[in-house]
Amino acid sequence: MKSSEALFARAVKVLPGGVNSPVRACGNVGMTPRFIARAKGAHLWDVECRRYIDYVGSWGPMILGHDFPEVTEAVQAAVKNGLSFGAPCEAEVRMAELMCALVPGLEMVRMVSSGTEAVMSALRVARGATGRSKIIKFAGNYHGHCDAMLVKAGSGALTGGRPDSLGVTPGAAGDTLTANYNDLESVRSLLSAHPGEVAAIIVEPVAANMGVVPPEPGFLEGLRRLCDESGALLIFDEVITGFRLALGGAQEFFGVRADLVTFGKIIGGGMPVGAYGGKRALMELVAPCGGVYQAGTLSGNPVAMAAGLAQLRHLRDHAELYDELSKRGAYLAQCLRVLGERTQVPVQVNQIGSLLTVFFTEAPVTNFQGACASDLDRFGRWYRGLLERGIYTAPSQFEALFLSAAHTEEDFSRTLEAAEETLRQLRR
Ligand SMILES: *Cc1c(COP(=O)(O)O)cnc(C)c1O
């Protein structure tokens, strides 16, 4: 029989760290990764046929669960007509029309193949539109791996202890300024130190790559105001929050408008898709309309579009899902807080909608510093305790748990049982 150990032993010889994306390697939680053979609904099976309740959901895309019939059927139908044309297809028009209909302020989008590409391109548009160079980002926010964004980055960069990557030249990173999340004063002082130089402020409207850290009331509104005053553009990186917090993403959820929005994850339904968009006047700067160059051989790929379109249509037609997911998120978070008290393990459970993180610290976590105060040794034991009990979560403190519409009450009660047993072990 196949085993994860044996596959990983082969993998490390031919893939750096045995993986194609760092955080999957599980080194920081003292483990080697499980190799997944298949997935259905809210469950995963590894190559040894062990079943897990999945709270990673491919890091966000699988909001309807795995092998969701409408998505799978749409992909199967598209595959028969050809995998890629490198020419326009109807699905990409429908996809763009649907996104523009659902997302506030979105008048045009450009499809790309990853969240990284979406961010990289949106930054280029912002610089092209303003004629300015500098970008403000927030410590612990992750925006993919383009050079300029690998400065105090979250997610795998943070997990691996390299929030600033090797191989990024001072030139590439020199125009990136870093502010503190939930701290408008830190943004204001950067803006006044660089008058007329800041092209954009880019933010995860809900930080989810240093663990989940929701914006404090007034933070996003404040960013909007600072952008209006300074002439910088506001970019919401909605690669996680888009179509997850609400159909219209964080803009709808918080009632704050961004100038440019980036997407990924959910919009591909599990296929490699990203997108960026905004007002027509900005997006018409993109080639071939305008002078901001950006292109992609597989962009708007018909199979990927079919998957994303099927998922977005289902979400549009069942928008009540968002309330339901939010209720379940709040329920799970509250139960975990109670278990923390009952077992006397200090936990902070940050939750918003279907996103949730358990931090092991006494103090509320509202920014990067707070997230870094979490007890990582405890986190490692928590992760391993859950996994042993069939609960599959992200192998890093600095990530979210993703709920899907496929999780059932039974999944939750098994999860909470496993959580309680694990917390009792952590106390010792
Ligand atoms: C995942 C993520 C990205 C990068 O997307 P990829 O598809 O992994 O390149 C960018 N921004 C945020 C907020 C993300 O969570």
Side-chain angles (χ1 to χ4, degrees):
M1 194 171 79
K2 280 184 195 155
S3 80
S4 290
E5 291 298 328
L7 283 170
F8 192 60
R10 281 166 57 195
V12 291
K13 292 184 188 152
V14 286
L15 298 164
V19 291
N20 282 309
S21 196
V23 77
R24 296 178 196 167
C26 298
N28 64 298
V29 286
M31 300 264 308
T32 55
R34 300 296 145 113
F35 281 69
I36 303 303
R38 74 190 172 90
K40 175 92 194 160
H43 300 131
L44 297 174
W45 285 263
D46 69 14
V47 291
E48 289 151 57
C49 298
R50 267 191 300 255
R51 192 184 87 151
Y52 303 90
I53 301 173
D54 178 20
Y55 290 99
V56 177
S58 189
W59 304 89
M62 313 316 291
I63 190 169
L64 298 174
H66 297 279
D67 191 21
F68 191 73
E70 287 162 42
V71 175
T72 303
E73 284 157 23
V75 169
Q76 285 167 338
V79 161
K80 293 203 185 105
N81 292 327
L83 296 181
S84 178
F85 315 130
C89 65
E90 185 176 351
E92 60 192 339
V93 184
R94 290 178 185 247
M95 181 80 172
E97 286 170 349
L98 184 56
M99 289 178 70
C100 290
L102 296 177
V103 178
L106 203 66
E107 292 176 349
M108 290 185 125
V109 286
R110 168 62 63 85
M111 308 306 305
V112 293
S113 300
S114 70
T116 293
E117 240 188 299
V119 166
M120 185 179 80
S121 313
L123 295 176
R124 192 177 300 141
V125 171
R127 285 168 162 158
T130 57
R132 301 172 176 188
S133 302
K134 302 216 178 286
I135 305 287
I136 295 178
K137 80 177 282 290
F138 293 91
N141 276 194
Y142 179 68
H143 302 292
H145 66 86
C146 79
D147 283 3
M149 291 292 101
L150 285 181
V151 178
K152 298 217 166 49
S155 191
L158 185 49
T159 303
R162 286 204 176 273
D164 305 285
S165 173
L166 291 179
V168 173
T169 62
D175 284 324
T176 306
L177 309 169
T178 315
N180 296 322
Y181 198 76
N182 277 330
D183 177 359
L184 288 173
E185 206 39 60
S186 70
V187 181
R188 207 170 283 130
S189 66
L190 286 176
L191 285 169
S192 51
H194 302 276
E197 292 181 71
V198 176
I201 299 176
I202 183 165
V203 65
E204 286 184 68
V206 170
N209 284 295
M210 51 177 161
V212 173
V213 179
E216 286 176 347
F219 177 60
L220 298 175
E221 292 84 347
L223 293 182
R224 177 70 272 170
R225 206 166 43 246
L226 289 174
C227 281
D228 292 342
E229 287 165 13
S230 65
L233 299 179
L234 182 58
I235 305 176
F236 274 7
D237 182 351
E238 298 228 44
V239 170
I240 284 183
T241 52
F243 300 94
R244 177 165 285 279
L245 279 186
L247 266 182
Q251 293 191 92
E252 175 186 325
F253 193 88
F254 297 108
V256 177
R257 289 293 176 89
D259 299 298
L260 289 165
V261 186
T262 57
F263 297 93
K265 300 189 172 126
I266 284 181
I267 65 164
M271 300 290 280
V273 180
Y276 62 102
K279 287 250 172 301
R280 187 173 312 279
L282 280 175
M283 291 306 289
E284 281 186 341
L285 292 171
V286 176
C289 281
V292 175
Y293 193 72
Q294 186 272 310
T297 301
L298 295 175
S299 298
N301 172 271
V303 182
M305 292 295 101
L309 192 55
Q311 175 146 284
L312 294 192
R313 279 181 176 157
H314 185 90
L315 291 168
R316 174 197 63 193
D317 295 340
H318 301 80
E320 71 281 359
L321 272 178
Y322 288 101
D323 269 351
E324 189 53 42
L325 280 171
S326 241
K327 275 188 209 137
R328 295 183 198 177
Y331 167 77
L332 203 56
Q334 190 50 30
C335 292
L336 288 166
R337 288 183 195 112
V338 169
L339 291 181
E341 276 168 33
R342 197 185 291 163
T343 56
Q344 295 170 346
V345 176
V347 296
Q348 300 295 323
V349 185
N350 282 7
Q351 173 264 332
I352 183 163
S354 53
L355 296 166
L356 183 155
T357 297
V358 180
F359 293 100
F360 295 91
T361 170
E362 311 263 1
V365 176
T366 59
N367 58 24
F368 180 59
Q369 251 186 326
C372 291
S374 186
D375 182 339
L376 296 185
D377 178 60
R378 256 201 176 135
F379 176 83
R381 289 190 286 150
W382 163 251
Y383 172 79
R384 294 190 296 274
L386 290 179
L387 191 76
E388 276 162 24
R389 292 170 176 83
I391 313 299
Y392 191 90
T393 60
S396 164
Q397 176 67 83
F398 307 111
E399 305 286 352
L401 267 79
F402 295 93
L403 301 191
S404 80
H407 287 102
T408 61
E409 263 181 47
E410 199 206 319
D411 291 326
F412 289 147
S413 56
R414 286 194 38 213
T415 302
L416 290 166
E417 242 169 72
E420 179 157 13
E421 285 176 24
T422 303
L423 286 169
R424 287 196 192 288
Q425 284 187 330
L426 293 194
R427 194 172 42 176
R428 288 196 283 272

